[in-house]
Amino acid sequence: MAKIEEIQEALRNLGIDGWLLTDFHNRDALAYKVLGIDHTKFTSRRWFCLVPKEGKAVALVSKVEPKRLEGLDAEMKTYLSLDELKTLLKGLVSGKKVAMQFSVEIPAISVVDGGTVDLVRACGAEVVSSKDLVQMFEGLVDKAQYETHKKAGKKVEKIKDEAFSLISEALRGSKTITEYDVQQFIVKRFEEEGLTSDGDLPIVAINEHAADPHYFPTKDKASVIRQGDKVLIDLWARLSFGGAIYYDITWCGYCGDKAPEDYKRLFAIVALARDEVVSFIEDRVSKGDFPFGYECDEVARKVIERHGFGAHFVHRTGHSIGECVHGMGVNLDSLETKDTRKVIPKALFSIEPGIYLSGKMGVRTEINCYIHEDLKVEVTGTIQRSLLLL
């Protein structure tokens, strides 16, 4: 739960009159988390809560469920009819600029339905996105959480090494091994090491399968890994307890003693793009000039475009990392969206440029990056400098 005083200070700094939180049918888990209210409790009627930039919070709850926000330090007002709700809501927000979980740019934040946004606007409010507030209070990683990320990282990197060794040993021993076999090995090792990926399975892809950024092998649909194959493994996990933060990496390898020149060239390009993004962020952050997420993406994209593969870089450069592998903070994105949030202290995110040649191969290199409060920019794990030879 965020402290009301901290939210109010942020509202004043952003020039916003209040954060209007609302829910119906338990759709917005974030609203409950911000207020410190149980998300799972039955919610069959709309409620609203305005955290103003000054003064006490005010909540509107239905007379059918008057205790839905019980325990919240707020002035409680009840409504029964739609007209009563509109009257109370108008008195609460008319003439004010209010932030809501609404965004054209960032779908993960945009959970308030359009009808509710229209209702609030009809009551005389200017509605703006809560995107910056969400990052500040739900998208950043504190020191204790950072330590869980680092601990998970050591385990995940060890398992990554084991997975590639498993492939190498099978090839050298003339044993049959498939993409699915390697995936399931990783899943088993997660469990043994006290890690979880919350039901999402790692990506193990060879050759043309790696040209699909989100290819997932299955028992009935997986290729046998052979000498001469190009292998991509993307794995992510966190420690198996609440509040732990994910670690998410992608590495590539070649089944043989010498990788083909075209494969090495593609890897070198994405590695260069990755490194230039890190350097760009380090330079800007060191000056206190925090870059926008979309600017970081543009750096990687220009590198890949310069080498003639811009059309084959088909996703954003990176995503926020938190208690979910895709967190609520800034994404490095100027392609799929335009993330106008800034890379600020306590932000944790991936940097993962890729090139995907349909029907042939795909390469991606992924690292995790954390901005410390003293403005140190840390790559939190090992950086792959060249293709693994298996």
Side-chain angles (χ1 to χ4, degrees):
M1 173 184 175
K3 292 182 179 179
I4 296 298
E5 297 80 8
E6 294 174 349
I7 293 175
Q8 292 179 321
E9 181 181 0
L11 288 167
R12 292 191 292 271
N13 291 338
L14 291 168
I16 299 172
D17 295 314
W19 192 352
L20 184 63
L21 299 157
T22 182
D23 188 50
F24 177 62
H25 283 183
N26 308 89
R27 292 173 180 169
D28 187 3
L30 178 62
Y32 293 95
K33 193 171 182 181
V34 169
L35 296 174
I37 300 295
D38 181 10
H39 170 239
T40 63
K41 191 175 177 181
F42 186 71
T43 308
S44 68
R45 302 297 190 276
R46 286 182 288 188
W47 60 261
F48 292 83
C49 181
L50 180 70
V51 180
K53 64 181 180 181
E54 303 279 359
K56 193 170 185 177
V58 180
L60 309 181
V61 293
S62 169
K63 289 180 180 178
V64 178
E65 294 172 353
K67 295 184 178 182
R68 181 60 188 92
L69 301 182
E70 188 175 28
L72 181 64
D73 183 18
E75 179 186 352
M76 295 289 174
K77 297 183 178 182
T78 59
Y79 73 90
L80 183 58
S81 69
L82 177 59
D83 286 342
E84 283 181 297
L85 173 60
K86 289 180 178 178
T87 298
L88 288 171
L89 192 56
K90 185 175 183 178
L92 195 60
V93 304
S94 181
K96 296 176 181 176
K97 180 190 287 188
V98 298
M100 299 184 73
Q101 265 79 288
F102 161 79
S103 174
V104 174
E105 302 165 339
I106 307 163
I109 288 171
S110 200
V111 295
V112 176
D113 66 278
T116 298
V117 173
D118 285 347
L119 172 62
V120 174
R121 285 174 173 156
C123 289
E126 177 188 352
V127 177
V128 297
S129 175
S130 62
K131 60 184 181 180
D132 291 311
L133 292 165
V134 170
Q135 166 155 263
M136 289 179 198
F137 296 103
E138 293 300 327
L140 301 180
V141 171
D142 65 26
K143 186 65 176 177
Q145 292 174 312
Y146 159 82
E147 293 297 339
T148 71
H149 166 77
K150 292 282 283 187
K151 289 178 182 177
K154 290 180 180 179
K155 293 174 180 283
V156 170
E157 291 217 7
K158 180 174 71 171
I159 294 168
K160 174 264 297 177
D161 291 340
E162 292 171 354
F164 279 110
S165 293
L166 182 72
I167 296 170
S168 180
E169 291 166 7
L171 294 174
R172 296 180 189 282
S174 300
K175 296 179 181 178
T176 299
I177 189 167
T178 70
E179 297 163 317
Y180 180 76
D181 293 332
V182 180
Q183 179 200 67
Q184 291 304 300
F185 169 82
I186 294 170
V187 171
K188 180 182 177 183
R189 290 292 291 121
F190 281 173
E191 184 177 354
E192 291 170 348
E193 291 287 345
L195 298 170
T196 181
S197 58
D198 294 299
D200 293 325
L201 300 178
I203 296 170
V204 180
I206 66 168
N207 304 332
E208 71 278 5
H209 288 167
D212 175 355
H214 282 178
Y215 166 83
F216 295 94
T218 65
K219 187 175 182 179
D220 299 324
K221 186 182 178 182
S223 292
V224 174
I225 303 172
R226 297 183 170 89
Q227 286 287 345
D229 284 344
K230 306 167 187 71
V231 183
L232 180 152
I233 298 180
D234 185 348
L235 66 168
W236 55 93
R238 62 176 178 84
L239 300 177
S240 298
F241 57 78
I245 302 299
Y246 267 90
Y247 187 83
D248 181 11
I249 54 173
T250 303
W251 282 56
C252 292
Y254 177 72
C255 298
D257 296 328
K258 185 178 180 181
E261 290 302 316
D262 58 348
Y263 192 36
K264 289 197 294 184
R265 178 172 180 247
L266 291 185
F267 182 82
I269 294 168
V270 296
L272 177 62
R274 173 199 67 201
D275 294 345
E276 290 206 9
V277 174
V278 174
S279 296
F280 172 76
I281 292 172
E282 286 176 332
D283 179 63
R284 290 282 294 270
V285 169
S286 70
K287 299 172 182 175
D289 181 16
F290 303 115
F292 293 106
Y294 74 86
E295 291 181 294
C296 303
D297 180 79
E298 288 174 343
V299 171
R301 206 158 296 283
K302 286 176 182 176
V303 172
I304 293 175
E305 288 172 352
R306 191 166 69 238
H307 287 84
F309 292 98
H312 302 283
F313 181 16
V314 297
H315 56 70
R316 63 193 174 199
T317 294
H319 59 81
S320 170
I321 298 172
E323 295 177 45
C324 296
V325 68
H326 288 187
M328 298 301 289
V330 61
N331 298 317
L332 311 189
D333 192 0
S334 69
L335 176 71
E336 300 174 60
T337 65
K338 184 177 181 180
D339 202 319
T340 55
R341 295 173 294 177
K342 291 187 174 183
V343 174
I344 59 176
K346 299 196 289 185
L348 175 65
F349 48 90
S350 71
I351 299 175
E352 49 179 302
I355 296 174
Y356 308 93
L357 305 183
S358 181
K360 296 180 181 179
M361 61 179 140
V363 295
R364 180 166 66 250
T365 173
E366 180 179 12
I367 58 174
N368 298 171
C369 191
Y370 183 69
I371 313 300
H372 288 269
E373 291 186 81
D374 65 1
L375 304 189
K376 175 187 175 184
V377 177
E378 179 191 1
V379 174
T380 60
T382 306
I383 301 173
Q384 183 176 10
R385 298 297 183 186
S386 60
L387 292 166
L388 298 178
L389 298 178
L390 309 178

